[in-house]
């Protein structure tokens, strides 16, 4: 997405008129990017004046293209400044510039990481050269026009307030600076020469427009690149806080000692790269000769990874890499150098088929490793048994006398990198109140269908492209086909629609088997995995009544284990039971609706609920839908509108 676009002449004119920061701000708002603070506006005003000094009086042609705050496809990241044209050989070329107002930084002992001061204190961030290079890699990876037209991408970083202090350009960061040259306070002429070298002629082919409108490659599938990753190939470019978290964890693992445990909690929403980070860490820690395992409670991701690795590694080797969270009930103290616990919000208290083994999975994981890393998103807890809360992890860390480190991931790679979609979805589902009450300006394909048949047919067609589209549903229908292979599970008579749950035929490999598009998945076979497109049937456990989004536990199938124990808990503590189950149902649909990297299509069995989602798309929803978001009010409304009899299945 191009925010500001002009040529050199137009850019210089906007600078001289003193209006460019306001112009960019308005363009950001028009494109639905409303969260622009005063400090960011000031940074445009200051940094772009220095870019004007670089451009004015240079040999850079007046017709060279200029783009500011270019939104990188499939990510939530923006490139500060782009200059486009042709080099001396008249080959198409783009220079991307990471602009910083820093005046000082401190060296760390972590590759590509520095410490610098921000408004609220110091923090570790990627070296500006690494950041520029990583953004160039994203652009190359995601844009087919860049690849097919052989467009040259030249990254660099410009710290226009930073004196040459020997820190930011220390030899420790040589590799980063070689990939993306670093220009400091007195390097305006050097930066000008760098740009002139790669933009000798103007942009007469609408290069930036072609890039912006070029075909976008979907984000890489972790499962499809698992073999290459385990062979040591760098398949994924870690950006911003991903890189900081990665290097910080490697540093702690390298310094780990048996007498001093480290517990690391990494929080991140859907698509922030938790699993990609975990697998990259697994490979690197093993390469450094340390004993490490990837742990997850959910069997589906493990089954998919194992299937992809079959034929490339022995089954015993695969089993030693990817393991279930209930495998540590008898593990000895500090058996592992590191355990990487993905989807840690799904951990249970007890282990075993009958939940009768061990004491507490969190406790046992921390016991078994010198360094234990818990990747969590508390808004993806989807059963009453899920205990993976941050406070619970901290409690057991304190029990072990461990050092606790809290980290966060925010860069979003799912849902086309559309942070606005996630905020809109949270607001629409009533998970949390946000300012995103419409999908206007959000680059994500969300559609509401009036018929489950139309939804299914659309997903079926999408799946023909790359086998990366599937149907899922809330667990509101009994699993009849488990005993009757000819039977159907999800039946919606008024639409003459019926479909089977996936489990009978494809088990945990449903998400990758090319024939499984004919069957529906549920939260238990899709969480932790991703697709290009997801089709979601919203059942009678989530309804809109009298302007409120309410949850109806009775709308769930009696076979669903997610809320098992709800009735007995209701008798003891009705308020607590209602709140817990309310969160589980909302979180379930939030998780299902964020499986698609490019699009999410839904159909609600309840007409009023379907109409609500349609209204929310355009932000035309009446105030009654958004005025009562308090959990207690929603819980009360849920009680009022629950059917007296069980919903028929």
């Amino acid at each position: 997405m191009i925010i500001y676009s002009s040529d050199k002449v137009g850019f210089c004119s906007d600078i001289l008129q003193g209006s460019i920061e306001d112009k960019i701000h308005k363009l950001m708002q028009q494109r639905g990017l409303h969260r622009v603070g005063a400090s960011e506006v000031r940074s445009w005003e200051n940094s772009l004046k220095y870019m004007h000094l670089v451009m004015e009086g240079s040999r850079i042609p007046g017709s060279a293209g200029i783009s500011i705050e270019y939104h990188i496809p499939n990510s939530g990241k923006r490139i500060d400044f782009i200059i486009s044209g042709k080099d001396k050989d008249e080959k198409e070329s783009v220079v991307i510039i990471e602009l910083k107002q820093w005046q000082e930084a401190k060296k760390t002992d972590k590759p590509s990481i520095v410490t610098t001061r921000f408004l609220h204190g110091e923090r570790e961030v990627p070296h500006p050269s690494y950041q520029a290079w990583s953004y160039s890699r994203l652009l190359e990876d995601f844009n087919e026009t860049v690849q097919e037209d052989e467009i040259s991408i030249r990254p660099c970083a410009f710290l226009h307030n930073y004196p040459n202090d020997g820190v930011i350009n220390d030899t420790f960061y040589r590799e980063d600076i070689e990939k993306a040259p670093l220009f400091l306070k007195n390097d305006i002429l050097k930066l000008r020469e760098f740009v002139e070298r790669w933009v000798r002629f103007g942009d007469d082919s609408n290069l930036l427009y072609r890039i912006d409108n070029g075909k976008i490659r979907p984000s890489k599938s972790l499962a499809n690149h698992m073999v290459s990753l385990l062979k040591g190939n760098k398949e994924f470019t870690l950006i911003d806080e991903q890189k900081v978290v990665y290097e910080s964890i490697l540093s702690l693992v390298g310094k780990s000692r048996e007498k001093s445990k480290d517990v690391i909690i990494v929080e991140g929403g859907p698509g922030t790269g938790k699993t990609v980070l975990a697998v990259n860490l697994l490979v690197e820690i093993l390469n450094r000769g340390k004993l490490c395992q990837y742990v997850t409670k959910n069997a589906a991701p493990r089954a998919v990874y194992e299937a992809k690795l079959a034929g490339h590694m022995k089954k015993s080797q695969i089993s030693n890499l990817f393991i279930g969270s209930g495998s540590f009930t008898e593990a000895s103290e500090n058996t592992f150098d590191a355990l990487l616990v993905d989807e840690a919000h799904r951990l249970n208290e007890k282990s075993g088929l009958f939940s009768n083994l061990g004491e507490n999975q969190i406790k046992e994981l921390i016991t078994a490793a010198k360094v234990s890393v818990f990747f969590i998103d508390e808004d993806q807890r989807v059963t009453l048994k899920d205990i993976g809360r941050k406070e619970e992890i901290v409690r057991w860390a304190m029990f072990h006398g461990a050092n606790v480190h809290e980290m966060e991931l925010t860069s979003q790679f799912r849902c086309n990198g559309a942070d606005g979609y996630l905020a809109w979805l949270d607001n629409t589902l009533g998970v949390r109140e946000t300012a995103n009450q419409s999908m206007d300006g959000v680059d994500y394909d969300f559609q509401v269908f009036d018929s489950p048949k139309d939804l299914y047919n659309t997903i079926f067609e999408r799946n023909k492209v790359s086998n990366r589209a599937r149907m899922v549903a809330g667990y509101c229908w009994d699993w009849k086909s488990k005993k009757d292979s000819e039977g159907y599970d999800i039946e919606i008579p008024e639409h003459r629609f019926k479909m089977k749950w996936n489990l009978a035929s494809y088990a945990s490999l449903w998400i990758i088997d090319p024939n499984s598009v004919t069957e529906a998945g549920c939260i238990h076979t899709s969480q932790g995995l991703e697709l290009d497109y997801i089709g979601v049937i919203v059942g009678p456990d989530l309804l809109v009544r009298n302007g409120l989004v309410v949850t109806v536990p009775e709308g769930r199938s009696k076979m669903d284990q997610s809320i098992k124990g709800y009735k007995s808990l209701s008798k003891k503590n009705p308020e607590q039971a209602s709140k817990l189950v309310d969160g589980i149902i909302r979180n379930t649909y939030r998780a299902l609706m964020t499986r698609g990297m490019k699009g999410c299509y839904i159909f609600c069995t309840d007409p009023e609920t379907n109409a609500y989602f349609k209204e929310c798309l355009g932000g035309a929803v009446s105030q009654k839908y958004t005025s009562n978001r308090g959990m207690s009010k929603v819980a009360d409304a849920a009680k009022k509108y629950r059917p007296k009899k069980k919903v028929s299945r």
Side-chain angles (χ1 to χ4, degrees):
M1 181 194 299
I2 294 177
I3 304 298
Y4 171 96
S5 180
S6 187
D7 55 18
K8 173 188 167 181
V9 173
F11 166 73
C12 291
S13 175
D14 283 339
I15 288 288
L16 293 174
Q17 291 176 22
S19 60
I20 194 163
E21 63 274 8
D22 294 331
K23 191 171 186 178
I24 295 171
H25 193 188
K26 289 178 182 177
L27 290 168
M28 295 273 278
Q29 292 177 317
Q30 289 171 11
R31 285 157 177 75
L33 302 171
H34 301 285
R35 292 178 295 176
V36 178
S39 60
E40 189 170 4
V41 175
R42 287 194 300 272
S43 72
W44 293 329
E45 181 181 8
N46 297 331
S47 294
L48 295 178
K49 286 179 180 178
Y50 283 94
M51 284 309 304
H52 176 252
L53 294 176
V54 173
M55 305 292 286
E56 192 70 87
S58 70
R59 291 180 296 163
I60 302 166
S63 58
I66 302 293
S67 177
I68 300 172
E69 296 294 333
Y70 176 77
H71 184 188
I72 306 172
N74 284 10
S75 80
K77 296 301 176 181
R78 303 194 300 268
I79 297 174
D80 291 335
F81 203 94
I82 299 179
I83 307 171
S84 62
K86 295 180 179 178
D87 63 17
K88 61 181 179 63
D89 298 319
E90 298 197 26
K91 292 184 177 180
E92 293 179 320
S93 178
V94 166
V95 174
I96 71 172
I97 304 173
E98 180 65 26
L99 298 171
K100 299 290 186 191
Q101 297 192 84
W102 301 0
Q103 297 183 39
E104 60 181 355
K106 295 177 182 177
K107 179 183 170 184
T108 71
D109 60 355
K110 303 168 187 174
S112 307
I113 305 298
V114 298
T115 298
T116 192
R117 181 172 293 279
F118 293 92
L119 183 63
H120 300 293
E122 290 186 346
R123 74 170 189 263
E124 290 184 338
V125 293
H127 189 283
S129 290
Y130 177 89
Q131 188 177 10
W133 170 79
S134 67
Y135 286 4
S136 72
R137 283 295 306 271
L138 288 182
L139 196 58
E140 291 168 344
D141 285 346
F142 289 143
N143 198 291
E144 286 193 5
T145 299
V146 172
Q147 297 178 357
E148 293 175 357
D149 294 355
E150 297 182 348
I151 298 169
S152 171
I153 307 289
R154 304 290 173 178
C156 66
F158 182 27
L159 282 62
H160 48 77
N161 294 331
Y162 199 114
N164 187 348
D165 62 357
V167 175
I168 198 72
N169 51 1
D170 187 273
T171 54
F172 182 67
Y173 302 111
R174 178 181 296 166
E175 184 178 344
D176 300 309
I177 296 171
E178 286 176 351
K179 291 177 180 177
L182 178 68
F183 301 98
L184 303 178
K185 184 175 183 178
N186 297 318
D187 292 338
I188 288 178
L189 294 180
K190 290 181 181 179
L191 174 57
R192 178 184 293 177
E193 291 171 0
F194 177 80
V195 176
E196 289 173 342
R197 187 186 318 156
W198 300 111
V199 184
R200 183 73 60 85
F201 302 101
D203 183 355
D204 59 3
S205 57
N206 293 317
L207 183 51
L208 293 177
Y209 178 84
R210 281 166 42 222
I211 290 174
D212 193 47
N213 289 274
K215 187 175 181 181
I216 304 303
R217 293 182 183 273
S219 297
K220 289 182 177 179
S221 164
L222 176 60
N224 290 339
H225 290 83
M226 189 65 69
V227 174
S228 181
L229 269 173
L230 290 176
K231 287 181 178 178
N233 297 320
K234 302 292 185 182
E235 289 289 347
F236 295 88
T237 301
L238 302 177
I239 67 167
D240 295 353
E241 69 277 357
Q242 289 179 331
K243 179 66 171 175
V244 174
V245 171
Y246 175 81
E247 295 295 348
S248 297
I249 292 172
L250 287 178
S251 177
L252 288 169
V253 172
K255 298 173 182 176
S256 65
R257 298 291 183 270
E258 290 190 4
K259 293 183 179 180
S260 179
K261 287 179 177 290
D262 288 288
V263 171
I264 305 164
I265 302 171
V266 182
E267 295 184 88
T272 50
K274 297 186 296 295
T275 302
V276 166
L277 193 57
V279 175
N280 274 272
L281 283 164
L282 172 69
V283 173
E284 184 59 29
I285 292 170
L286 292 172
N287 286 341
R288 296 186 181 189
K290 302 280 188 178
L291 187 57
C292 180
Q293 286 184 331
Y294 170 97
V295 182
T296 178
K297 187 253 182 186
N298 196 343
R302 299 198 311 271
V304 169
Y305 301 154
E306 289 170 6
K308 292 292 183 179
L309 291 171
H312 298 276
M313 298 177 68
K314 294 180 181 178
K315 193 175 188 313
S316 59
Q317 291 177 306
I318 299 173
S319 299
N320 285 330
L321 289 177
F322 304 99
I323 196 163
S325 58
S327 304
F328 300 87
T329 56
E330 298 181 6
S332 300
E333 181 88 11
N334 296 326
T335 300
F336 300 91
D337 293 296
L339 289 175
L340 306 167
V341 190
D342 202 5
E343 304 282 328
H345 41 269
R346 296 297 319 279
L347 293 173
N348 293 163
E349 185 175 29
K350 300 286 187 177
S351 300
L353 183 62
F354 301 103
S355 299
N356 62 343
L357 300 177
E359 179 184 352
N360 183 288
Q361 288 186 353
I362 296 174
K363 176 188 178 183
E364 291 150 7
L365 286 161
I366 296 174
T367 297
K370 299 172 189 173
V371 177
S372 46
V373 186
F374 296 89
F375 294 91
I376 69 169
D377 176 5
E378 292 189 0
D379 288 333
Q380 291 196 58
R381 292 173 53 249
V382 295
T383 80
L384 284 176
K385 290 183 178 180
D386 294 348
I387 64 166
R389 301 178 185 86
K390 183 166 71 172
E391 62 184 28
E392 184 75 359
I393 298 171
V394 170
R395 183 171 76 86
W396 284 111
M398 295 295 99
F399 173 85
H400 284 84
N403 303 308
V404 178
H405 312 266
E406 296 185 26
M407 304 176 188
E408 186 176 8
L409 296 170
T410 58
S411 299
Q412 214 273 110
F413 285 90
R414 194 174 292 152
C415 309
N416 259 9
D419 292 325
Y421 169 64
L422 296 180
W424 173 84
L425 184 62
D426 282 352
N427 193 72
T428 302
L429 289 173
V431 173
R432 63 187 176 94
E433 187 172 358
T434 74
N436 298 65
Q437 296 189 10
S438 84
M439 284 283 283
D440 291 345
V442 177
D443 184 23
Y444 185 70
D445 187 7
F446 187 93
Q447 297 182 40
V448 183
F449 286 74
D450 292 321
S451 159
K453 283 186 177 180
D454 292 342
L455 172 60
Y456 172 82
N457 291 336
T458 303
I459 288 295
F460 192 86
E461 288 301 313
R462 291 290 194 189
N463 192 59
K464 290 180 179 179
V465 178
S466 57
N467 187 38
R468 286 178 55 78
R470 291 292 184 278
M471 289 278 288
V472 294
Y475 207 159
C476 301
W477 293 268
D478 290 352
W479 183 12
K480 301 173 185 175
S481 62
K482 182 178 183 180
K483 294 182 178 179
D484 177 10
S485 60
E486 300 299 317
Y488 285 88
D489 306 306
I490 301 172
E491 296 190 65
I492 308 175
E494 61 269 32
H495 290 278
R496 297 180 181 178
F497 178 83
K498 55 185 179 180
M499 199 172 186
K500 293 182 180 181
W501 287 119
N502 71 283
L503 299 174
S505 303
Y506 303 106
S508 295
L509 296 179
W510 157 82
I511 207 163
I512 60 172
D513 192 293
N515 299 312
S516 67
V517 68
T518 59
E519 299 186 355
C522 68
I523 188 63
H524 306 302
T525 48
S526 62
Q527 194 173 24
L529 297 165
E530 58 197 21
L531 296 155
D532 285 346
Y533 293 92
I534 193 76
V536 183
I537 297 177
V538 179
D541 57 341
L542 186 127
L543 302 173
V544 172
R545 289 293 181 269
N546 290 350
L548 287 175
V549 180
V550 298
T551 56
V552 186
E554 292 84 356
R556 287 271 178 118
S557 163
K558 63 180 181 293
M559 301 177 73
D560 179 26
Q561 298 295 305
S562 301
I563 57 174
K564 185 177 180 180
Y566 161 68
K567 288 185 177 179
S568 59
L569 181 60
S570 295
K571 294 177 182 178
K572 298 176 183 176
N573 191 330
E575 186 175 347
Q576 181 189 17
S578 180
K579 184 176 181 179
L580 284 173
V581 175
D582 179 83
I584 285 168
I585 293 173
R586 293 176 198 270
N587 289 348
T588 296
Y589 284 110
R590 180 181 187 265
L592 292 176
M593 292 184 191
T594 54
R595 296 306 95 192
M597 301 171 87
K598 300 175 76 172
C600 172
Y601 306 148
I602 75 166
F603 164 78
C604 305
T605 57
D606 175 66
E608 185 174 346
T609 309
N610 221 46
Y612 165 72
F613 275 96
K614 281 186 176 182
E615 289 185 77
C616 288
L617 269 176
V621 61
S622 58
Q623 185 61 33
K624 64 179 181 179
Y625 285 125
T626 57
S627 60
N628 294 312
R629 292 290 184 184
M631 183 63 72
S632 60
K633 291 183 179 180
V634 170
D636 291 341
K639 293 176 186 176
K640 181 178 179 181
Y641 292 107
R642 283 174 193 145
K644 294 180 180 179
K645 296 181 180 179
K646 279 196 173 183
V647 176
S648 60
R649 303 181 182 89

